[in-house]
Amino acid sequence: MLNDDYDGGKKLIPVFQEHLNKGTRGVESLLAEQIMFCNKLLLTKNDRLPFYVVTEVARAIHPLNPQVAIMAVPWGNLQLDELLSMPDYDFHRVALLIDELQDAIDAVLPDETDKKYDISWRVIEDDRPFHPQRLWDTCHCFMGAGVYRSKGFFWLPGRDDLALLWNQAAGSINLEFISYWKAGVLTHTDNSLTKEERAAIRQQLAKMPGRFGDRRCRLTVIGESGEIDDFALALRQCLLTEEEILWWQQGGIFHDPWPTKVARLA
C-alpha cells in the first residue's frame, strides 16, 4: 500500500501534513499516526518487492518515528524470539504526542467517530462464476487507491473444478489455488473415489443452495466508501449473465487472461 498508493511512502507525510493544516482527516492520518505511535515498525509484503524498494519505503516513512527500528517481514513471517525480544511499549515517550494530536482528532466529526476515515466494506456473493476477461479488465480499470483490501473465494469457467482464492492488498492481486470444489471432483476420472464416496458427495451437493453445487463467489472489499462502491458494482458486472452461462454450458469457451499456473496454499 505504501509503495503503490503513496509513491514508495514519499507522499504519506505531505498528505498527512495537508490534513493537519486543513483540519481534516483521512486514511493518511490513520497510517501516519500508527507509525508515529508504534514502538516497532514492521513492513509486510516485502517478498513482492526488490530490496532497494523496501529500503526506500523505510527511508521515506522513518521521519515519522525516527526512534524506532524498522523490520521487513516476508510473508508476514515474524519469528517468535524476535517478537518476545521487543521492548515494552513506552507510554511516556508518546504522552506529549497524544496531547498534541488529541485536539486535532476531536475537532473532526466529534460526534461521528466511525465516519472519520470513511472506511467501509462490501460483500459480493453469488453462485455464478466471474467472466475471466471482464474480471481482468475490472482489476486494471476500477481498482483505485481507495480499495485497500479484498479477499475471498471465487471460480472461473474453463477451470471450474478449482476453488480459487482472491487476495488483494492495495495494487497487488494474488490468484491462489486452495482446493477443488466438490462438484469439480465429481468430474475427475482419476481421483480414485469409490462409488459410495461419490454418492456421498452427490448427496452433499444436492443440499447446497446454489445452482452449481458448492461452487460460489464470495468476496469482501474494504476501502473508502465511494471507491469500493464503484469497484463492487464493477465486480458484480463481471459475473456471467444467464445467456453467457447457457453458452458456456453448451461448450462455449471464454478467453482467460489470468495466469494458467497458480500457487497452491499448503
Side-chain angles (χ1 to χ4, degrees):
M1 183 175 185
L2 286 170
N3 183 60
D4 294 333
D5 297 342
Y6 296 102
D7 189 22
K10 299 180 184 69
K11 291 183 178 179
L12 178 60
I13 294 178
V15 176
F16 172 55
Q17 291 173 331
E18 183 178 352
H19 279 299
L20 288 176
N21 293 334
K22 292 182 177 179
T24 59
R25 292 187 64 77
V27 173
E28 297 81 11
S29 307
L30 180 62
L31 290 174
E33 288 161 6
Q34 286 178 331
I35 296 172
M36 294 164 69
F37 281 91
C38 74
N39 67 331
K40 187 80 170 184
L41 184 54
L42 305 178
L43 295 180
T44 61
K45 310 292 184 184
N46 71 301
D47 44 278
R48 302 180 183 178
L49 299 171
F51 176 76
Y52 77 91
V53 174
V54 177
T55 302
E56 289 298 319
V57 171
R59 184 177 292 115
I61 63 176
H62 197 233
L64 285 168
N65 196 340
Q67 301 184 49
V68 302
I70 300 178
M71 178 187 298
V73 289
W75 304 102
N77 185 13
L78 179 64
Q79 298 298 320
L80 181 59
D81 57 346
E82 294 175 338
L83 179 63
L84 295 176
S85 66
M86 291 183 183
D88 293 336
Y89 192 77
D90 188 352
F91 289 94
H92 298 289
R93 184 176 65 83
V94 300
L96 179 60
L97 184 60
I98 293 174
D99 292 338
E100 290 177 348
L101 291 176
Q102 193 63 57
D103 290 342
I105 294 173
D106 291 342
V108 182
L109 301 176
D111 299 324
E112 301 179 86
T113 305
D114 60 327
K115 296 183 180 179
K116 287 182 179 179
Y117 306 107
D118 196 27
I119 297 177
S120 188
W121 70 92
R122 302 291 182 268
V123 177
I124 294 92
E125 188 165 12
D126 205 289
D127 67 343
R128 294 172 293 169
F130 283 126
H131 187 291
Q133 185 64 60
R134 285 206 299 272
L135 184 63
W136 177 272
D137 294 339
T138 292
C139 292
H140 287 78
C141 298
F142 288 92
M143 195 175 65
V147 181
Y148 302 136
R149 192 79 166 88
S150 58
K151 194 169 185 177
F153 305 99
F154 72 107
W155 64 295
L156 297 172
R159 49 177 102 183
D160 49 294
D161 58 335
L162 303 182
L164 300 171
L165 175 67
W166 170 286
N167 190 3
Q168 172 262 327
S172 176
I173 298 178
N174 273 6
L175 180 69
E176 298 167 343
F177 164 55
I178 56 171
S179 184
Y180 291 101
W181 300 112
K182 291 180 180 179
V185 169
L186 290 179
T187 66
H188 296 170
T189 59
D190 57 349
N191 52 28
S192 302
L193 291 176
T194 65
K195 291 182 179 179
E196 292 76 13
E197 289 170 333
R198 297 179 72 88
I201 292 176
R202 290 193 185 95
Q203 289 179 354
Q204 293 175 0
L205 294 176
K207 299 177 182 178
M208 298 287 180
R211 293 173 290 173
F212 306 101
D214 58 332
R215 301 183 185 100
R216 67 194 185 281
C217 293
R218 192 180 195 281
L219 302 179
T220 300
V221 183
I222 302 172
E224 296 180 15
S225 297
E227 290 205 32
I228 65 169
D229 283 337
D230 293 340
F231 187 53
L233 176 60
L235 283 176
R236 291 187 179 97
Q237 292 174 341
C238 292
L239 295 164
L240 293 192
T241 65
E242 296 303 322
E243 292 77 12
E244 288 171 333
I245 290 174
L246 180 60
W247 182 75
W248 169 58
Q249 291 175 330
Q250 293 174 345
I253 299 175
F254 297 101
H255 175 64
D256 187 342
W258 293 91
T260 55
K261 293 184 178 180
V262 294
R264 178 167 187 173
L265 297 182

